[in-house]
Amino acid sequence: MLAHLTTAFTLLLLFVNLVGLALVAERLTRSYVLARVASPAVLALAAFFLEHFVGLGELAWAWPLTTLAAGWTIWRRQDVLVRHWKVEAAFIVAFQWAFIWRTAFPGLVASSEKLGDLAMIASYMPGHRLPPPDVWLPPYPFDVYYSFQHYAAALLGRTFALAPGLAYNVSFCLLTALAITAAAGAVFAVCRSVPATAFVVLAFAAGGTGASIPVH
């Protein structure tokens, strides 16, 4: 029970921080949906660049400060948040859908690339200067070219003091939610119809053509 409450509290902190970040980025982009979707990637990319020069180590000290700043930003700019409640609704529904899926199947089984993904995240977790030591093949450096999303997952885990496995699962849900929110924003910008947007996004989430539902 305590573990579930801790996870719920962590997800609430994550949501508050992401909304606050989006509200700050919206001042630059003048597009809330773009700010909501792109700002986490831009922040992770900035940290990724910086850590090629100096490792930032553990970052759990940061979340109380960022949460306070995000809460103050939300309170000051709540009118922007209210105007764009549909974006937040799309994100929350998408995140919950992915979270239910990962809760039902949380295991990182050896029959897929999930253990490899977990090793990539674990390599980044200590916050060493990049490239870090490879936890799979130490003492060789971990410099796999396609690992930015794993770095971002580790950055989330370092910030909110998550174990590598939980960071993996939460980041999986976050990546899914951001992709679906981006799709919803793009479709709505074209058709300006909520029902049509919902239909296209449901098809996209179900597997492009929707064929993945009867296949399973």
Side-chain angles (χ1 to χ4, degrees), residues 30-69:
R30 297 302 177 185
S31 169
Y32 185 79
V33 65
L34 177 61
R36 190 67 164 89
V37 171
S39 57
V42 172
L43 180 63
L45 188 62
F48 189 66
F49 174 80
L50 177 61
E51 289 205 297
H52 277 84
F53 300 96
V54 57
L56 300 178
E58 296 294 330
L59 297 172
W61 56 267
W63 72 259
L65 302 177
T66 59
T67 303
L68 286 174

Side-chain angles (χ1 to χ4, degrees), residues 203-215:
F204 168 68
T209 62
S212 62
I213 294 178
V215 166

Side-chain angles (χ1 to χ4, degrees), residues 13 16-17 62-74:
L13 289 177
V16 169
N17 277 270
W63 72 259
L65 302 177
T66 59
T67 303
L68 286 174
W72 181 81
T73 302
I74 292 171

Side-chain angles (χ1 to χ4, degrees), residues 14-204:
L14 176 61
F15 179 77
V16 169
N17 277 270
L18 289 176
V19 171
L21 181 63
L23 288 171
V24 172
E26 189 270 343
R27 288 186 176 275
L28 301 174
T29 64
R30 297 302 177 185
S31 169
Y32 185 79
V33 65
L34 177 61
R36 190 67 164 89
V37 171
S39 57
V42 172
L43 180 63
L45 188 62
F48 189 66
F49 174 80
L50 177 61
E51 289 205 297
H52 277 84
F53 300 96
V54 57
L56 300 178
E58 296 294 330
L59 297 172
W61 56 267
W63 72 259
L65 302 177
T66 59
T67 303
L68 286 174
W72 181 81
T73 302
I74 292 171
W75 179 72
R76 287 291 302 271
R77 307 201 67 206
Q78 55 188 295
D79 58 318
V80 177
L81 190 60
V82 170
R83 287 201 308 271
H84 299 285
W85 68 268
K86 293 178 183 177
V87 177
E88 292 305 323
F91 176 87
I92 291 171
V93 170
F95 189 94
Q96 287 180 332
W97 173 67
F99 188 75
I100 291 172
W101 184 275
R102 291 307 304 152
T103 302
F105 305 100
L108 305 181
V109 296
S111 61
S112 69
E113 293 186 357
K114 293 178 182 177
L115 286 180
D117 292 336
L118 182 63
M120 296 182 196
I121 293 172
S123 295
Y124 289 121
M125 287 296 283
H128 296 305
R129 179 180 173 182
L130 302 180
D134 192 337
V135 298
W136 198 307
L137 294 171
Y140 297 104
F142 178 67
D143 53 5
V144 181
Y145 71 93
Y146 55 84
S147 58
F148 175 66
Q149 62 183 346
H150 305 91
Y151 171 83
L155 184 66
L156 185 148
R158 290 161 58 194
T159 303
F160 294 97
L162 305 181
L166 184 56
Y168 179 108
N169 282 323
V170 172
S171 298
F172 179 92
C173 301
L174 179 58
L175 188 63
T176 302
L178 290 173
I180 291 176
T181 303
V187 174
F188 185 78
V190 173
C191 67
R192 296 293 175 180
S193 168
V194 173
T197 299
F199 178 78
V200 174
V201 171
L202 284 173
F204 168 68

